[in-house]
Amino acid sequence: MHSCARTIPFACFLFLGTHVAQGADEEARRDFHSYANPEHVRVRHIDLYLDVLFDKQVIQGEVVLAIERTSADAKQPLVLDTRGQNIESVEESQDGQEYKKTPFDLGKVDPVLGQSLTVRLPEKVRSVRIKYKTGPRAAALQWLTPAQTADKKYPFLFTQSQAIDARSWIPLQDSPRVRVTYTARVRTPKDLLALMSASNDPAQKRTGDYRFEMKQAIPSYLIALAVGDLEFRKIGPRTGVYAEPKVADRAAKEFTELEEMVRAAEKLYGPYRWDRYDVLVMPPSFPFGGMENPRLTFASPTVLAGDKSLVSLLAHELSHSWSGNLVSNATWSDFWLNEGFTVYLERRIMEAVYGKARADAEAMLGRRSLEREMADLPKSDQVLHIDLKGRTPVDGLTDVPYEKGALFLRHLEAVYGRERLDAFLKGYFNHFAFKSITTAEFAEYLNDHLLKGDAEKAARAKVEEWLYKPGLPSDAPNPTAAALERVQASAHEFAAGKVKATDLPVKDWTPQQWLHFLISLPADLTKDRMRELDDAFALTKSGNSEVLFQWLLLSVQHGFEPAYPRLEGFLTEQGRRKFLKPLYEEMVKTPAGKERALAIYRKARVTYHPLSVDTVDAIVGWK
Ligand SMILES: [Zn+2]
């Protein structure tokens, strides 16, 4: 069955009222990536007791789930998600004091979803306690040896639960529809510090026994833990940065505007509701640029460019404190509600703190990147409300939810004006605060609070086309930035042989301009011209990860061998999926390149996160 919005033009929301939309909604709220049954029995709160055992690379855990029946059908069991864990016992309690053992069933193993864990319970049970151990390939956990850290003295553990990997380290209802509050007691080796996506005390001494509380209800994919040799640096009254000792000062210097960013976001979208906002700079193997774990963003050290040129990543993760963490996608098909809103908010914060020229340049780079990626995507994957039935949420990780989603909001801004859209967004975050919603619920709210009453503007908004059709509407915003258009012209002149590299007007070029210059070079550039660029600007030695990545990609495309040692260095020093994937994909296009890719990967594989390993395994055909 299709939901209303997919089969009938958007007008159905305008004229058929809420009845149809709600009927369709149950289907839209189905989460194909979880076995859980929150419509009958729902987990409301979690108490965790975790022993982090570095020598065995195992978390020995105990979890107490406070549950609530949400339907009248008292025969319905509690159904949880689990993957690869060793479940030792399940106990039930009516009063949260006395527990008794109860039988449980583990379902068939699915390589993506894991297993269901079903517990049949008497009607009155309010708590379930599970003792368990994480398995040897728990996808959310990366155990780093001292050699894989910046300081090389202590081991490090971090989790990455998004999208459906919380179930690999905690048995729970692993669906973003289910929000929980949590507490945790975490035991670690004495000389290491533990941090969570919860209350973190900047003055915390190292004791090896840490307690946390998260009072706001969050989806399971936002539960996070990091354990390592970490130090704190204060930035503002409620902001700071954690990092390994070697990196801490550099990180604090890079992120000096963090407090200002929080203030700018509050001015636009209402109060920051999570108490502190800290950033944890991760070891280099972290597979993403950043992860918006509430109160404690995890950030890749590849954003430490030394000149604040990559701090838009912090604006992005901070924005998730409204879009994503406060109002969350109900299923992974609604992922654009998290990311499209966040990219839009990120650019507004960048504009407020660093000026319009920079925000415009980033928006233009974003649209170009989306166009390049969409050219290779099947039509069905160019849709904001993507169909992920029978697929993994990772399949939806393209520029589409991010950049197309942001363009949609930019389009609404163009139709309704900035003031009205800002008021709408503020109201939206308030209305759905601490809720998880579907695309259809968003569309209904949009209709009621922005579209209704002005048919001419509503027609121009083209909501149905934006949400449910592939590609971009013909009148989609096309952000331009004069600074980038200038370097594009320079790239064409250089490629046509009209200018020498040394005569290019690079004096005040920002990293965004360099990036656009490199992207704008044609595919048939000769190796001599590549050498000319490298001799003039030492691009192979660039300390900006984005510029270096683009240069290395060009080098592989053009067979520019002097850059290959740096290519190998870059692929073994960091494990960010965004950089690994295109570089390996480009290398395997030729037999010699494939051999080089395999030689590098043989060394690098052990240093990568399981998510990056899965990606690169598939590209190089690892057996
Ligand atoms: Zn994001």
Side-chain angles (χ1 to χ4, degrees), residues 88-99:
E88 290 162 9
S89 68
V90 178
E91 297 159 291
E92 47 152 287
S93 169
Q94 296 201 8
D95 58 5
Q97 306 289 323
E98 269 179 55
Y99 282 87

Side-chain angles (χ1 to χ4, degrees), residues 292 316 320 339 342 402:
E292 65 269 26
H316 180 95
H320 274 305
E339 297 302 343
T342 292
Y402 292 79

Side-chain angles (χ1 to χ4, degrees), residues 538-600:
L539 290 160
T540 301
K541 292 186 185 142
S542 173
N544 183 298
S545 59
E546 296 279 353
V547 172
L548 178 63
F549 160 73
Q550 205 57 51
W551 173 250
L552 293 175
L553 191 62
L554 270 181
S555 299
V556 179
Q557 283 162 349
H558 293 85
F560 181 61
E561 290 180 14
Y564 287 0
R566 188 73 201 98
L567 171 70
E568 178 168 344
F570 188 63
L571 289 172
T572 44
E573 284 156 15
Q574 57 78 42
R576 199 169 154 188
R577 206 173 153 270
K578 171 187 172 180
F579 295 147
L580 303 185
K581 188 169 177 269
L583 286 170
Y584 279 106
E585 276 173 350
E586 200 56 47
M587 275 195 280
V588 300
K589 284 182 182 168
T590 64
K594 184 160 184 184
E595 237 168 76
R596 187 169 309 112
L598 275 166
I600 295 173

Side-chain angles (χ1 to χ4, degrees), residues 24 76 83 106 175 182 222 297 313 388 397 433 446 454 488 551 577 579 588:
Q76 289 288 340
R83 197 198 297 125
L106 283 167
S175 166
Y182 77 88
L222 293 175
T297 281
L313 181 112
L388 289 172
L397 268 185
L446 179 73
D454 189 335
Q488 197 170 317
W551 173 250
R577 206 173 153 270
F579 295 147
V588 300

